[in-house]
Amino acid sequence: MQASLSTSSAATASQGDASGPQEVRDRIALCCSHTEAATWELGLRAALPHATISAWPHTDEQAECAIVWSPTQAFMDAHPRLRIIFNMGAGVDALMKLRLPPQARIVRIEDGGMAVQMAEYVSHAVLRHFREFDRYEASAASGAWAPRKPPIRSDFPVGVMGLGALGKRVAWSLAQFDFPVFGWSQSPKTIDGVTCLSGADEFDRFLSETRILVCMLPLTPATQGILSHASLSQLKPGGYLINVARGAHLVEEDLLRLIDEGHLAGATLDVTQEEPLPPGHAFWRRPEIVLTPHIAAQTVVREAIAQIATKVSAGLESPTLSGVVDLGKGY
Ligand code: GLV
């Protein structure tokens, strides 16, 4: 992969030379820590034929624009002129840990095909728990035809924490199944069919109204460890946690303790403190915990490239630029 990146970067650099001197802003540095790097590079080159795209570690140190996923500090230090850093995903927590050039703004992917995936994943987890499909699977596995009493929907209010583009879509989707749905966010929001609460003052009320809690918060110093004994014990008895945000939101031993104490029925976790989840981790042995390997919503590369290319083409100082991260808030 590394060889193919440097070869194609060299090819683009010479294209740039052939078409004459190039605006510095058209030089884009690409840095991603996963295996899609080559796909991104090819896609970006097709979407932005006038730009020179170079991939880390063969990047142009004059670049004012970067497109990244989990870049290293070395990448940031090598590009002091960056004015805009496009994040290939929705969560920017990995970027917020780095020292960025002081003038740089971060722009995250807005929806980009992820909201519908989140809605699918969370609806599936809520419905699987509510309709007791895990029990029917166990009955079927043991050859038992064992109907159970239908659950009562009003006994399963769902609370969605974090009402950004993805959280809104999830809350709205759950409301379509007629669950009582509560939403909680830092600033007030309005969503059809959802009782929206906000701020620290309404947090305890939000928790006490909720039986199935869905975490979709950005990870910031203020939200790290927010899913703790103190918060989860306020859920209605038989509470259930769905975490599709970041593993660091959850105090893992508090979840196990609340399941053992019988206050929580279980959890669906797409994210964990350590990823991949180590083989000996207690979560693997808990039948009440459904685990998936951080796949709830994956960046749809084609849509993400189209979104970034549109923003790059509009100009780095475009007044209509959206998806800009508030560096003070961290999301
Ligand atoms: C995935 O976790 C993302 O932040 O896009």
Side-chain angles (χ1 to χ4, degrees):
M1 165 115 63
Q2 200 56 53
S4 83
L5 286 184
S6 48
T7 312
S8 48
S9 300
T12 322
S14 60
Q15 266 169 30
D17 293 341
S19 58
Q22 195 172 25
E23 293 285 335
V24 174
R25 69 179 187 86
D26 289 332
R27 302 181 195 169
I28 298 176
L30 181 66
C31 180
C32 53
S33 59
H34 57 75
T35 53
E36 297 263 16
T39 315
W40 273 88
E41 196 178 359
L42 284 174
L44 284 166
R45 197 159 282 143
L48 293 165
H50 301 298
T52 296
I53 295 159
S54 54
W56 179 248
H58 306 284
T59 38
D60 182 343
E61 61 197 30
Q62 299 298 313
E64 295 189 352
C65 174
I67 301 175
V68 303
W69 182 249
S70 279
T72 55
Q73 185 61 53
F75 173 82
M76 285 303 156
D77 294 344
H79 301 90
R81 300 183 57 149
L82 288 179
R83 286 196 290 144
I84 255 196
I85 303 170
F86 289 98
N87 186 53
M88 292 173 177
V92 295
D93 44 297
L95 268 174
M96 297 302 298
K97 289 187 199 137
L98 302 178
R99 231 175 15 261
L100 307 176
Q103 71 284 357
R105 292 190 292 169
I106 299 177
V107 178
R108 62 165 174 270
I109 293 294
E110 300 173 276
D111 185 343
M114 281 190 275
V116 68
Q117 293 179 61
M118 276 297 186
E120 288 162 0
Y121 183 101
V122 175
S123 300
H124 175 268
V126 168
L127 295 172
R128 177 181 161 83
H129 177 62
F130 169 64
R131 295 293 304 269
E132 303 184 291
F133 288 127
D134 51 343
R135 292 182 187 248
Y136 289 114
E137 279 159 21
S139 308
S142 63
W145 184 268
R148 301 174 57 81
K149 274 203 198 139
I152 298 167
R153 200 173 303 271
S154 56
D155 288 346
F156 285 82
V158 186
V160 180
M161 308 166 85
L163 300 174
L166 309 188
K168 266 189 181 169
R169 175 69 182 254
V170 165
W172 177 84
S173 301
L174 293 167
Q176 306 312 299
F177 290 107
D178 294 348
F179 287 105
V181 181
F182 292 82
W184 182 80
S185 51
Q186 272 307 332
S187 50
K189 299 274 162 67
T190 313
I191 306 168
D192 266 0
V194 177
T195 305
C196 291
L197 303 173
S198 62
D201 292 353
E202 293 191 303
F203 190 49
D204 288 351
R205 180 181 158 211
F206 165 76
L207 293 169
S208 63
E209 298 278 12
T210 294
R211 177 153 172 191
I212 303 183
L213 179 66
V214 183
C215 179
M216 307 210 51
L217 289 169
L219 181 64
T220 67
T223 64
Q224 180 157 349
I226 196 168
L227 304 170
S228 63
H229 195 277
S231 58
L232 297 174
S233 61
Q234 293 186 60
L235 299 180
K236 290 188 183 297
Y240 192 85
L241 172 67
I242 299 170
N243 189 11
V244 287
R246 288 291 185 264
H249 284 122
L250 175 64
V251 182
E252 296 186 337
E253 55 277 16
D254 288 3
L255 171 68
L256 293 171
R257 190 170 135 207
L258 284 159
I259 294 175
D260 290 340
E261 290 169 359
H263 186 67
L264 294 188
T268 293
L269 305 177
D270 185 50
V271 287
T272 50
Q273 288 272 358
E274 197 178 338
E275 296 179 7
L277 187 65
H281 196 288
F283 285 170
W284 290 117
R285 300 189 299 277
R286 301 302 293 243
E288 309 91 343
I289 298 180
V290 177
L291 291 165
T292 51
H294 203 145
I295 48 70
Q298 292 170 283
T299 301
V300 181
V301 178
R302 182 191 290 261
E303 290 188 35
I305 286 177
Q307 191 177 111
I308 292 173
T310 304
K311 291 180 182 183
V312 170
S313 304
L316 303 189
E317 300 302 334
S318 163
T320 60
L321 186 68
S322 59
V324 180
V325 171
D326 179 331
L327 297 177
K329 291 184 180 166
Y331 60 91

